[in-house]
């Protein structure tokens, strides 16, 4: 019997090895076969046909070659859902009735989950919807670093830490691309503000560039194997990022071996020769809102259109430059619209809604909870005053290019009414913004004083007040095209809150935003919950957490400063942010976010990685597998997480590392590992986190490469950057 079992096991192992070998051989042959096909296609194309493939033919498509059966390439805005169908030649909506989708939570929420598995689910779901809509490229996700809380586009990104963003972006990309749809990581690089984004020249040290602003892009390429990347609007060291020799040719294509397509942001190209020679492959959206008045197609006058063709024909640019662009475009097509094995995709459905709700629930962050204000028992017959326009305002429209046409959007007010059947819920707007507009502020026509008085009256009659405040997706809020003008809450919310507190101190604040805000009233409210933009399921997901059906486990992906000048970028004056309209200098260097607060000993309002739960956790017995390591090893940190409270819940074990007595400037500590663990009440579970020793290297500008310092390091283990429960000293030999 033992011999038979052994033979069967051995046979299974041999078969498995053969399958793996054959699969690898097929992959290799497939890759070689595709490249051979591309060679044949390129040899069959005219120069005119090849040039045409390098620029737009409409707002969101590039031409194929009908003569050879090469299809058009179709793109759609993301990254939180597939945008509604846009007209061929202008930014108006096409008026389709079958382009409604699932609006997924914003990427700030996804990052707050600290859960890469959910990022994979997110990518798969949104990729299915993009594929069903016959899109070949989804323009997202975004991984620009959170540098200033005024950046109007922060809600589209994954926070202030390059390690967190790297770990969250890779599974998203993999999920999207398994549908035969290309993710398009954006905006490469240093697009960290909307003010003067179209021309501002960013000056940043090589060290900060490589340690802070590039790691998530690098992970997207080397680990996520992303098929396309979108250039940024701004300049870097005097060259526009969409045709920047250092960023595109040297770093992206040479150092990282990127084999995909570089696409401009819409209107991001500025020069034909630079676009041709400095790494751009496809030009979109340049300087036309349609066919203009000429008899010829305006798209033919893009920088990579007729002007490019002319330079090739007169010998100023070699045809091999064009062929490389076409090769990359065809490679993208073989991965997407010329891949016969890709799925059909799926339209928005209940499974996608479930994924969105799960992400929303795990991403909501509980910041303050005095006297266990939350959760609020849904079985009690109480009166709840819901105050604030954000309790009813749609947050899927607006915000710029990431706006969505959601099939359904459940407001926070409706979500609470759905959940609290025994309660009396009364709503008052309290404050109001104007209608949503992308490029201008439209003031509200409602009487602000009257709205405030109505809210005060409603609050005075309630057992509990839930104030839904924060920002919205209007111009000068969380919106593409311009940054916020102030750190405080808009529309008189601070003043309204102060008045509400006078008539009912039993108040909890529910913030809807993608950015940090100032909180002068923080000591006078019982609880604060950061809920982000949650998309289709916003109301139900918020009610899940408020009622206790879901125990909050989100952690902040960026720091909340007490005042704006506490933020690193703002502490150095206007040349550091927003610049002088021509140049901007990142004077804080590598000390971005919590690195700045920790190193400079400035206490934030709320710290990176911070987030409360309805239960309590204890981290214990954490240790490293040994005390000394060489550069080719991994540091293994293990320990136990116990749930000492009364709710099942999830905790994020966070591991930071700092270099003792470094010869170069260092942050006190940097996130190098994390693990989210679910623990039943009264139970415990083990956690294990592995850190590659080489990841402790700094970027050494003297050698233009990474350098691992020998000596002593301190490992910090905790559940936020400001709550460390264990420190362990190790040595790198």
């Amino acid at each position: 019997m033992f011999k038979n079992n052994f033979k069967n096991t051995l046979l299974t192992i041999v078969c498995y090895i053969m399958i793996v070998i054959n699969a690898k051989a097929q992959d290799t042959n497939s890759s070689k076969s595709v490249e051979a096909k591309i060679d044949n296609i390129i040899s069959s194309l005219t120069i005119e046909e090849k040039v045409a493939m390098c620029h737009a033919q409409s707002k969101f498509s590039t031409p194929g070659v009908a003569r050879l059966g090469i299809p058009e390439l179709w793109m759609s805005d993301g990254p939180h859902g597939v945008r509604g169908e846009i007209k061929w030649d202008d930014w108006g909506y096409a008026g389709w009735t079958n382009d409604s989708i699932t609006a997924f939570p914003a990427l700030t929420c996804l990052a707050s989950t600290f859960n890469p598995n959910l990022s994979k689910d997110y990518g798969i779901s949104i990729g299915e919807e993009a594929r069903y809509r016959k899109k070949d490229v989804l323009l997202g996700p975004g991984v620009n670093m959170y540098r200033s809380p005024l950046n109007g586009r922060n809600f589209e990104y994954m926070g202030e830490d390059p390690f967190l963003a790297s770990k969250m972006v890779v599974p998203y990309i993999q999920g999207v691309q398994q549908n035969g749809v290309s993710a398009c990581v954006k905006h490469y690089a240093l697009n960290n503000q909307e003010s003067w984004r179209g021309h501002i020249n960013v000056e940043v040290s090589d060290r900060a560039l490589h340690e802070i602003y590039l790691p998530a892009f690098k992970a997207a390429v080397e680990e996520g194997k992303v098929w396309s990347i979108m250039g940024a609007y701004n300049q870097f060291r005097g060259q526009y990022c969409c045709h920047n020799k250092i960023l595109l040719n040297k770093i992206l294509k040479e150092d990282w071996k990127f084999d995909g397509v570089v696409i401009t942001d819409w209107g991001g190209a500025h020069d034909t020769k630079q676009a041709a020679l400095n790494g751009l492959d496809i030009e979109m959206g340049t300087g036309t809102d349609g066919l203009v008045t000429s008899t010829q197609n305006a798209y033919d006058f893009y920088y990579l259109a007729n002007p490019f063709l002319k330079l090739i024909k007169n010998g100023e640019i070699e045809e091999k430059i064009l062929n490389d662009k076409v090769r990359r475009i065809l490679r993208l097509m073989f991965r997407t619209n010329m891949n016969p094995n890709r799925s059909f995709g799926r339209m928005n459905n209940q499974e996608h809604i479930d994924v969105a709700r799960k992400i929303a629930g795990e991403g909501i962050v509980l910041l303050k909870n005095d006297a266990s204000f939350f959760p609020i028992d849904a079985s009690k017959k109480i009166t709840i005053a819901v105050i604030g326009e954000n309790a009813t305002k749609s947050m899927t429209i607006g915000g710029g290019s990431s706006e969505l046409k959601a099939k359904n959007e459940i407001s926070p007010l409706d979500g609470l009414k759905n959940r609290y059947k025994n309660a009396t819920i009364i709503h008052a707007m309290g404050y109001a913004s104007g209608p949503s507009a992308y490029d201008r502020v439209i003031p509200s026509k409602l009487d602000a004083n009257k709205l405030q008085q109505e809210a005060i009256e409603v609050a005075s009659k309630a057992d509990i007040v839930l104030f839904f405040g924060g920002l919205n997706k209007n111009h000068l809020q969380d919106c593409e095209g311009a940054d916020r003008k102030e750190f405080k809450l808009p529309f008189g919310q601070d003043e309204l809150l102060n008045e509400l507190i006078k008539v009912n101190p039993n108040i909890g604040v529910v913030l809807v935003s993608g950015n940090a805000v100032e909180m002068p009233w923080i000591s006078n409210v019982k609880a604060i919950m950061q809920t982000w933009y949650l998309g289709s399921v916003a109301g139900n997901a918020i009610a899940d957490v408020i009622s206790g059906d879901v125990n909050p486990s989100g952690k902040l992906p960026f720091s909340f400063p007490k005042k704006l000048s506490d933020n690193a970028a703002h502490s150095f004056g206007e040349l550091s942010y927003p610049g002088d309209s021509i140049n901007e200098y990142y004077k804080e260097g590598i000390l971005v976010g919590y690195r700045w607060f920790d190193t400079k000993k400035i206490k934030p309002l709320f710290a990176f990685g911070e987030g409360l739960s309805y239960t309590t956790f204890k981290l214990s017995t954490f240790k490293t597998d040994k005390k000394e390591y060489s550069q080719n090893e991994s540091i293994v940190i293990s320990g136990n997480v116990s749930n000492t409270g009364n709710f099942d819940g999830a905790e994020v074990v966070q591991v930071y590392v700092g270099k003792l007595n470094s010869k170069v400037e260092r942050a006190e500590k940097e996130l190098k590992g994390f693990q989210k663990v679910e623990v039943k009440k009264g139970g415990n579970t083990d956690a294990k986190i592995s850190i590659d020793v080489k990841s402790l290297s700094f970027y050494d500008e003297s050698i233009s490469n990474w350098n691992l310092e020998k000596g002593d390091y301190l490992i910090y283990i905790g559940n936020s950057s400001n709550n460390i429960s264990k420190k362990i000293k190790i040595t790198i030999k």
Side-chain angles (χ1 to χ4, degrees):
M1 184 182 233
F2 173 79
K3 288 182 179 179
N4 288 337
N5 286 342
F6 178 76
K7 286 180 180 179
N8 290 336
T9 302
L10 185 61
L11 182 61
T12 300
I13 293 172
V14 170
C15 289
Y16 176 76
I17 291 171
M18 292 304 296
I19 289 169
V20 171
I21 291 172
N22 287 335
K24 287 185 176 180
Q26 287 172 5
D27 285 344
T28 303
N29 291 335
S30 175
S31 177
K32 289 179 179 177
S33 173
V34 166
E35 295 301 317
K37 289 176 182 176
I38 290 173
D39 287 336
N40 289 333
I41 293 171
I42 290 175
S43 67
S44 301
L45 292 169
T46 66
I47 293 178
E48 289 79 6
E49 287 169 338
K50 288 188 286 189
V51 168
M53 294 175 69
C54 296
H55 65 85
Q57 65 169 358
S58 75
K59 279 298 174 197
F60 281 94
S61 71
T62 59
V65 183
R67 180 177 65 86
L68 298 178
I70 298 171
E72 299 168 327
L73 195 66
W74 279 90
M75 309 174 193
S76 176
D77 273 320
H80 310 129
V82 186
R83 192 176 182 180
E85 212 62 35
I86 302 295
K87 290 181 182 178
W88 185 269
D89 284 315
D90 65 50
W91 288 108
Y93 282 96
W96 288 20
T97 58
N98 62 345
D99 58 345
S100 297
I101 47 79
T102 306
F104 292 90
L107 292 190
T108 43
C109 177
L110 177 62
S112 297
T113 69
F114 276 67
N115 188 339
N117 293 329
L118 281 184
S119 187
K120 182 69 173 290
D121 294 341
Y122 193 127
I124 291 171
S125 300
I126 197 173
E128 286 178 342
E129 296 200 12
R131 176 68 189 97
Y132 182 81
R133 288 270 303 282
K134 296 180 168 48
K135 305 303 179 187
D136 307 308
V137 180
L138 181 73
L139 303 174
V143 291
N144 293 101
M145 289 292 101
Y146 188 108
R147 181 173 179 259
S148 163
L150 299 187
N151 181 8
R153 221 163 174 184
N154 276 334
F155 72 96
E156 292 189 47
Y157 302 138
M158 296 189 181
E160 70 186 21
D161 183 73
F163 181 81
L164 174 62
S166 296
K167 290 302 177 186
M168 297 302 289
V169 75
V170 168
Y172 180 113
I173 291 165
Q174 293 169 338
V176 170
Q177 293 187 169
Q178 77 176 48
N179 293 284
V181 174
S182 173
C184 184
V185 176
K186 61 186 188 183
H187 303 92
Y188 183 73
L190 301 163
N191 188 177
N192 304 307
Q193 66 188 56
E194 292 297 284
S195 295
W196 302 311
R197 67 175 185 176
H199 64 270
I200 193 77
N201 177 55
V202 174
E203 296 291 340
V204 61
S205 70
D206 279 346
R207 187 166 173 215
L209 178 71
H210 286 274
E211 290 189 19
I212 303 296
Y213 299 104
L214 293 187
F217 289 105
K218 184 178 183 181
V221 172
E222 294 187 341
E223 299 173 48
K225 308 297 182 185
V226 72
W227 297 337
S228 62
I229 279 183
M230 182 188 290
Y233 279 127
N234 52 284
Q235 298 183 66
F236 166 59
R237 295 182 186 168
Q239 278 190 338
Y240 282 98
C241 291
C242 283
H243 36 71
N244 188 289
K245 187 175 182 179
I246 295 172
L247 291 177
L248 299 182
N249 284 348
K250 176 65 174 72
I251 295 174
L252 180 64
K253 292 184 173 180
E254 182 182 330
D255 296 348
W256 299 348
K257 312 300 181 189
F258 176 63
D259 69 354
V261 171
V262 175
I263 302 170
T264 62
D265 204 337
W266 269 230
H270 297 269
D271 180 86
T272 293
K273 189 164 281 188
Q274 288 191 33
L277 299 178
N278 291 348
L280 180 62
D281 300 311
I282 294 179
E283 178 187 1
M284 301 296 296
T286 298
T288 175
D289 282 323
L291 302 179
V292 296
T293 57
S294 64
T295 56
Q296 290 180 291
N297 191 320
Y299 301 104
D300 289 339
F301 295 94
Y302 277 23
Y303 295 103
L304 285 185
N306 287 346
F308 184 29
L309 178 64
K310 182 179 179 181
L311 291 179
I312 293 171
K313 285 192 169 182
N314 67 20
E316 290 186 56
I317 293 177
E318 295 180 85
E319 191 173 347
K320 69 178 183 180
I321 299 294
L322 171 61
N323 288 345
D324 178 70
K325 300 181 193 304
V326 174
R327 174 175 296 280
R328 290 171 178 273
I329 294 166
L330 288 170
R331 190 180 290 135
L332 175 64
M333 288 179 168
F334 273 106
R335 289 165 169 167
T336 58
N337 59 15
M338 293 202 296
N339 175 7
N341 299 317
R342 68 173 178 167
S343 69
F344 296 118
R346 295 195 301 163
M347 68 185 298
N348 56 306
N349 57 62
Q350 188 59 47
E351 287 181 31
H352 294 169
I353 291 293
D354 291 344
V355 167
R357 191 166 177 172
K358 173 71 170 170
I359 293 164
E362 281 204 28
I364 289 173
V365 185
L366 183 61
L367 296 174
K368 180 179 180 179
N369 198 28
D370 288 357
S372 297
F373 180 91
F374 294 121
I376 299 171
D377 189 344
S379 66
K380 288 186 176 180
K381 293 184 177 182
I382 55 176
T383 298
I384 303 174
V386 175
I387 308 294
E389 182 188 41
N390 278 6
T392 57
K393 186 176 179 66
S394 172
M395 296 296 184
T396 57
I397 60 173
S401 60
S402 67
E403 72 176 12
L404 296 169
K405 184 179 178 180
K407 185 173 183 180
N408 296 297
E409 180 179 359
I410 300 168
S411 72
L413 180 61
D414 285 341
L416 291 170
K417 286 180 177 179
N418 292 340
R419 184 66 185 87
Y420 286 84
K421 300 294 187 182
N422 293 326
T424 299
I425 296 178
I426 45 179
H427 173 249
M429 282 186 67
Y431 64 89
S433 61
S436 175
Y438 169 59
D439 58 350
R440 63 196 184 281
V441 174
I442 303 175
S444 172
K445 294 181 180 179
L446 299 176
D447 186 317
N449 290 329
K450 184 178 179 182
L451 292 177
Q452 186 178 104
Q453 289 305 312
E454 289 173 349
I456 292 170
E457 184 178 346
V458 165
S460 67
K461 299 174 183 177
D463 299 302
I464 291 173
V465 176
L466 294 178
F467 181 83
F468 280 80
L471 307 174
N472 60 40
K473 289 187 172 181
N474 287 9
H475 188 59
L476 301 182
Q477 299 296 310
D478 283 326
C479 184
E480 181 183 358
D483 285 350
R484 298 165 62 194
K485 295 300 183 186
E486 54 189 8
F487 188 37
K488 70 176 186 178
L489 289 174
F491 318 124
Q493 292 179 62
D494 291 334
E495 294 79 8
L496 173 59
L497 257 174
N498 289 333
E499 294 302 313
L500 295 176
I501 292 164
K502 292 176 184 177
V503 299
N504 193 333
N506 199 25
I507 186 167
V509 175
V510 182
L511 290 172
V512 180
S513 75
N515 255 314
V517 297
E518 196 172 38
M519 302 184 195
W521 32 261
I522 186 171
S523 61
N524 296 320
V525 299
K526 294 287 182 66
I528 303 170
M529 189 177 285
Q530 175 67 38
T531 67
W532 317 112
Y533 299 115
L534 301 180
S536 294
V537 298
N540 286 343
I542 290 170
D544 287 342
V545 176
I546 287 177
S547 67
D549 292 346
V550 170
N551 191 347
S553 61
K555 303 287 185 176
L556 287 180
F558 52 79
S559 311
F560 278 53
K562 290 182 178 179
K563 58 183 186 296
L564 195 57
S565 59
D566 286 348
N567 170 272
H570 290 269
S571 70
F572 289 98
E574 289 189 1
L575 272 180
S576 179
Y577 174 89
D580 61 4
S581 87
I582 299 170
N583 295 301
E584 181 181 25
Y585 301 88
Y586 284 20
K587 294 185 178 183
E588 73 276 21
I590 61 167
L591 299 181
V592 175
Y594 69 90
R595 290 166 167 80
W596 171 261
F597 289 102
D598 287 352
T599 307
K600 300 297 181 180
K601 308 304 179 188
I602 300 170
K603 189 174 181 180
L605 185 65
F606 295 107
F608 172 85
E610 188 170 352
L612 303 174
S613 171
Y614 295 151
T615 192
T616 52
F617 297 98
K618 182 180 179 182
L619 277 56
S620 60
T621 70
F622 273 88
K623 60 184 181 181
T624 54
D625 54 331
K626 54 184 185 177
K627 296 298 181 184
E628 290 190 351
Y629 299 88
S630 64
Q631 65 174 352
N632 295 318
E633 293 183 292
S634 291
I635 306 162
V636 179
I637 301 105
S638 59
N640 189 267
V641 181
S642 56
N643 184 336
T644 57
N646 298 318
F647 292 81
D648 297 344
E651 180 63 290
V652 180
V653 180
Q654 300 167 39
V655 178
Y656 300 81
V657 182
K659 176 70 178 75
L660 298 174
N661 303 313
S662 178
K663 66 182 181 183
V664 295
E665 181 185 37
R666 294 262 195 167
E668 180 181 272
K669 61 182 183 291
E670 299 176 311
L671 184 70
K672 293 296 180 183
F674 62 85
Q675 184 182 3
K676 192 165 198 174
V677 294
E678 294 186 6
V679 192
K680 298 288 186 182
K681 61 180 179 181
N684 65 85
T685 190
D686 293 329
K688 181 182 286 188
I689 296 169
S690 182
I691 298 172
D692 187 347
V693 168
K694 288 181 180 177
S695 73
L696 307 184
S697 303
F698 72 94
Y699 190 84
D700 190 337
E701 294 179 345
S702 69
I703 60 173
S704 297
N705 209 336
W706 295 92
N707 189 346
L708 179 65
E709 278 190 280
K710 299 175 184 177
D712 294 335
Y713 288 75
L714 204 57
I715 293 179
Y716 302 79
I717 302 154
N719 65 355
S720 73
S721 62
N722 70 339
N723 190 28
I724 302 302
S725 55
K726 179 89 173 194
K727 297 179 184 178
I728 304 171
K729 189 167 80 170
I730 62 162
T731 302
I732 306 298
K733 295 183 292 184

